[in-house]
Amino acid sequence: MFATMFSHIYTKFNAFCEDEDGLALTEYLILLGLLTAVVIGAVTAFGVSLGNGWQAWADWLGGQNLAPPSSGGT
């Protein structure tokens, strides 16, 4: 009985070791972590100048006359 149970566990363990589906998930998680670190680093490094650029653009847009043109006729 012990030999049968050991054989079953050994077979399941070998099947688990040969299964490569989990590797793709692991690789994607590593890439996601690296991408997140790059984005955080870029925002930290360029955050002030990006904020100033967005504010300048918002100020310019706020000064524009965005009202629709009047129809001019009846």
Side-chain angles (χ1 to χ4, degrees):
M1 178 170 176
F2 180 73
T4 306
M5 184 174 65
F6 181 74
S7 175
H8 179 73
I9 292 172
Y10 183 75
T11 304
K12 291 292 183 180
F13 180 75
N14 279 340
F16 176 75
C17 290
E18 292 174 2
D19 186 20
E20 295 183 3
D21 289 340
L23 291 177
L25 176 62
T26 303
E27 291 167 354
Y28 284 124
L29 288 174
I30 290 170
L31 286 174
L32 178 63
L34 289 173
L35 181 63
T36 303
V38 168
V39 169
I40 289 173
V43 168
T44 301
F46 303 110
V48 174
S49 58
L50 284 175
N52 292 339
W54 278 107
Q55 188 60 48
W57 184 77
D59 293 341
W60 174 82
L61 190 59
Q64 300 299 311
N65 181 9
L66 300 177
S70 60
S71 61
T74 51

